[in-house]
Amino acid sequence: MPPEQRAMRREVWNVMPQATGNPTRQLSDGQQKNTPHAPDIPHIPDTLDVLDGSSPADDGPAARPPAATATATATATRTDTELLIAASVLLADAALAARQAGADLTDALTGGRFALQALRRPTWALGAALSCARALTSPAGLGFGPNGGVIGELARIAGNVTRRRPAAVAMAVDAFALRIEAATVTHPNLDSAHARRLTGAVVAGDRLEAVRALHALVERLGVTRALTTVSPVIMELLALTGLLDENPVNDEFSWVTLAGGVPTTDPFLGLPSSLLKYLNPGPGRAERVDADPILAKVLGTSRNDIVSYINDIGALGNHGLVLLRRVACADGTARHVLLLPGTSFALLSNSTPQDLVGAFDGCLRADTTYTRAAKKLLRRAGVPAGSELMLVGHSLGGLTAMNLAADVDVASEYRITHVVTLGSPIDAKRPADHTTRVISLVNKHDVIPMLDGRGPASPHDLPAGWVELAWLDESYDYPLSHAPQAYSDSLRGELAHYREQVNASIRRYDGEITGNQPYMLRDK
């Protein structure tokens, strides 16, 4: 390897981890590790040489022992993903900085202060205006980067419609492309020819080819398998679609996704999430009901075990039923558990909070019909103030559990000790009480947990103290991979150690069940 190329690669290793702040990352088993800086890894030069098949002392890997070559190659594979994500972080930061620079220049050029200075110093103002305009529109500067304010937004819209892309968009596209490539390393289904054709067309902004590629993928694999194939990068693909079309209204979805936030607009029309509150306006209502024979049979064998809780949620169904359990715990304390099922997919909207409108609302907002109904349930049930409460939810139920934990009124009235979710996109939500333990169970074949913007290639980490247990199981296809039974089967089988880990975390709820009361929740 030439000396200058070796120096360049060492520079990449030295700069990238520092630029990303040496983050604390969450492992799949819930433990944490600190991503080390490259200089602390003694075998980095060999790893980098393996990437291009050369070594410092010879022209190929032949002189290296086979075991050492295999070890170095395995290390290179692991490192490749980290480098791709680190590079995507740098490009995302640069894209966001370039976009902000365009907004600042636009504001400086069109603001009232500049107009006043222009009256006093017209020659200076003309020169400054020309320099700003050149920086905002030159391919060697910000591309076509005006944005912000009335004039800036009008210019941005005009540039969008005429396909004049700012440099920030080019960098954002590259950042998303690197995320997709990083996901391909750990999800080989994305490396198939049909999936590559689709992701390549989306990255290139070729919508016609993307439609053809998607049709070919569905024709080959079917709808559910095709959805499962692209699910690890679904947010990146949606963000790229919004960024590269001629619609200037939906760009905010892409920029928020790039920055690691939860989009508050839809990726196609750019409609704000605030519209959902008009589609989901119910005050919420909770009524005591009797358990049907099937539910009563399941509840008769229930206990403080995560698999048992998942089975209970499956027996509750998705037609408005939730369950409040009272437990006389082994330490003499009376505690409560609230079980919250997920969404019914039969209709866009129905008379219960467990509908698709409620699911989108719960992902984007905390004050929803589901949370309002659950709060009324706790009051109607007479749960004493100060009681310890554990919330267990699937899908939308997990979202609602986090929304309840984030509600200051709920957190101040009850002691929410645990929130346990399965298949829920909760990563952007935070409990009001920092001592609340959050345990998130994620089947990586499940599409739903990725709707919060944090996919497999996302560089964003979980808060300290959270536990995320993620796996790939044999269910594969969505929606089977999203069903409570898929999670239950996994935790009863090869992932029994995860089951034990969760059960150890919720051990304080061991005891005698003294009450199992189902409630029917209604919109109004």
Side-chain angles (χ1 to χ4, degrees), residues 271-335:
L271 297 175
S273 61
S274 56
L275 293 177
L276 287 172
K277 66 182 179 182
Y278 299 107
L279 299 176
N280 196 35
R285 179 164 55 94
E287 300 174 348
R288 291 168 63 106
V289 296
D290 295 327
D292 61 47
I294 295 177
L295 178 59
K297 182 177 180 179
V298 173
L299 295 180
T301 61
S302 188
R303 59 193 178 91
N304 185 42
D305 169 69
I306 183 58
V307 169
S308 184
Y309 286 135
I310 295 173
N311 291 338
D312 294 345
I313 287 175
L316 286 168
N318 305 103
H319 56 281
L321 279 183
V322 302
L323 182 80
L324 180 65
R325 172 170 295 167
R326 186 174 63 254
V327 184
C329 297
D331 61 0
T333 303
R335 296 185 174 93

Side-chain angles (χ1 to χ4, degrees), residues 5-20:
Q5 187 176 357
R6 187 182 306 281
M8 182 181 300
R9 292 206 169 185
R10 290 180 186 276
E11 187 65 22
V12 169
W13 274 99
N14 289 332
V15 170
M16 281 188 176
Q18 295 172 6
T20 57

Side-chain angles (χ1 to χ4, degrees), residues 198-216:
L198 174 61
T199 57
V202 174
V203 170
D206 189 340
R207 291 193 298 280
L208 182 58
E209 174 61 15
V211 170
R212 290 172 177 164
L214 180 60
H215 179 268

Side-chain angles (χ1 to χ4, degrees), residues 371-522:
T371 55
R372 291 190 289 270
K375 288 162 66 174
K376 290 181 178 179
L377 179 160
L378 294 173
R379 288 194 293 269
R380 178 164 185 171
V383 177
S387 295
E388 293 190 0
L389 178 65
M390 177 166 65
L391 307 173
V392 183
H394 168 247
S395 190
L396 170 58
L399 280 171
T400 302
M402 281 300 293
N403 287 337
L404 286 169
D407 190 301
V408 175
D409 293 336
V410 175
S412 60
E413 186 168 358
Y414 309 105
R415 170 78 174 88
I416 301 178
T417 60
H418 296 76
V419 173
V420 183
T421 70
L422 48 144
S424 302
I426 63 166
D427 295 331
K429 297 181 180 292
R430 301 291 181 268
D433 185 349
H434 72 279
T435 65
T436 298
R437 295 287 306 276
V438 177
I439 303 172
S440 176
L441 306 178
V442 176
N443 179 357
K444 292 183 181 179
H445 286 146
D446 187 355
V447 179
I448 302 301
M450 302 171 195
L451 297 181
D452 54 16
R454 184 177 174 268
S458 171
H460 314 293
D461 297 305
L462 294 172
W466 282 35
V467 174
E468 180 184 88
L469 304 178
W471 63 84
L472 289 168
D473 67 7
E474 296 179 355
S475 63
Y476 200 77
D477 283 342
Y478 177 86
L480 178 60
S481 57
H482 182 60
Q485 290 77 12
Y487 283 83
S488 176
D489 290 345
S490 295
L491 294 172
R492 277 199 304 261
E494 296 180 354
L495 300 174
H497 57 290
Y498 281 173
R499 177 183 186 177
E500 295 171 1
Q501 184 175 342
V502 176
N503 288 343
S505 298
I506 62 176
R507 192 75 69 198
R508 68 201 302 174
Y509 284 83
D510 284 352
E512 180 186 357
I513 297 175
T514 58
N516 270 326
Q517 180 57 58
Y519 283 82
M520 175 62 71
L521 303 188
R522 297 291 185 188

